[in-house]
Amino acid sequence: MAYSFGLVGSGWRAEFFLRIARDLPEQFPLAGVVARNPDKRAALGRRWAAPTFSTLDELLAERRPDFVVTSVSASANLEWMEILLERGVPVLSETPIGRDLKELHRVIDLERAGARIQVAEQYIFQPLHAARLALIESGRLGTVHEADVSIAHGYHGISLLRHFLQTGLRLPKIVARRFSSRIVAGPHRGRLPKERKIVDSVRTIAQLDYSDRLGIFDFTGDQYHSWVRSPRLMVRGEEGEINQTTVRLLQRFDTPFQFELVRRDTGQAGNLEGYSHRTISGGGEVLYRNPFPEMRWNDDEIAVATSLAKMATYLTTGEPAYGVAEACHDCYLDQLIAEAAASGREVIAETQPWM
């Protein structure tokens, strides 16, 4: 069953959902977009051929979507979730779900009051991360004790770290620091650099100590777009490790075994099927299959579409994809890292209402 969705927002992130709805309208039917700014609303209608509305009530009266995606600023997100609860509409919230502990507690109150909320935290659904997680969950690395993650900022990075470490909502002790250096500026979201420019680059490094497991969060703000900074991952278990895309295991205690995580994309090296991502395999098995194999989407678009599909499953079965508790926990740990970095002291996470 296809569930229709409404979209609140008109920014860069909202366009991910619009592309997915345009490319797969039967699976992801778009009921309409709410944008308060009349110029942005008109531009959205022209570019995406999407129904647009100036208010949520107009959208609900004319189209009545099965759920609404809130792709708005962090400062506006809680207000929109409260409005949608009043209207009885399920929410797929963009991140972050809250800016501070007070807002996170308020989101929990909304859920307890009956709001149906899931969160579009997409990183664990990106193909390479999903393949890595499948390998970890298979048990082939044994119990994972260490994860060093330098992939995404804030709550996104924390989400990946928790999933690689398999810590759930456990509470760590945190120490952190920030380091500033200089870097050649790279591109931004929609434009390439026009000249050589040296800018400040801030790196945040944190240790999350779970007693029996250690997580290293490491991120430099330039990594998303810079041409001279790259992501990094190391996950270590008692039976093996993942170092970027190289997996080291033991076939038996005296027989080491090594393989690469290999990506298969069509449309390359003479292949005439057209470009799309298909699978990631390694060690003699397919670890990840793209659920949208015909789409010419990048990895983040695949992940966002997966979030939309999992929202449909949630509405059908009640099975959460990425629920409020996880989203609140990731934002909370992100806030504690900022606190530890600013104070220079160890910070201990405490029990919260979502636990």
Side-chain angles (χ1 to χ4, degrees), residues 55-212:
T55 70
L56 175 66
D57 286 336
E58 288 178 6
L59 168 65
L60 297 181
E62 186 170 328
R63 294 298 186 104
R64 193 63 191 187
D66 295 303
F67 67 96
V68 167
V69 175
T70 57
S71 185
V72 296
S73 67
S75 61
N77 197 36
L78 178 57
E79 177 186 357
W80 276 108
M81 285 191 286
E82 291 173 336
I83 292 170
L84 287 159
L85 169 61
E86 293 173 358
R87 306 297 194 276
V89 181
V91 177
L92 179 60
S93 168
E94 256 291 7
T95 59
I97 199 169
R99 296 172 297 171
D100 54 34
L101 201 53
K102 182 179 179 181
E103 287 194 357
L104 298 180
H105 287 187
R106 178 58 186 145
V107 175
I108 292 298
D109 290 341
L110 291 179
E111 187 174 56
R112 289 175 175 172
R116 288 186 290 170
I117 303 171
Q118 292 293 287
V119 181
E121 174 55 63
Q122 82 277 17
Y123 275 82
I124 59 172
F125 303 132
Q126 288 184 0
L128 180 56
H129 301 323
R132 289 161 164 165
L133 288 169
L135 184 62
I136 291 168
E137 291 163 5
S138 75
R140 294 180 70 183
L141 298 185
T143 301
V144 171
H145 295 292
E146 298 178 41
D148 186 339
V149 178
S150 181
I151 293 170
H153 79 279
Y155 43 85
H156 294 308
I158 295 298
S159 169
L160 287 170
L161 187 63
R162 284 194 310 103
H163 281 83
F164 288 135
L165 276 178
Q166 298 181 299
T167 56
L169 302 184
R170 290 176 57 186
L171 298 170
K173 298 177 181 178
I174 299 173
V175 294
R177 66 162 296 192
R178 289 197 174 99
F179 174 74
S180 182
S181 60
R182 306 284 280 168
I183 189 175
V184 177
H188 292 273
R189 285 176 177 173
R191 59 184 166 85
L192 301 178
K194 295 182 179 180
E195 61 182 358
R196 176 183 169 87
K197 186 178 180 181
I198 302 295
V199 297
D200 289 328
S201 176
V202 179
R203 181 182 184 185
T204 300
I205 306 173
Q207 293 183 354
L208 283 71
D209 184 354
Y210 290 91
S211 181
D212 62 336

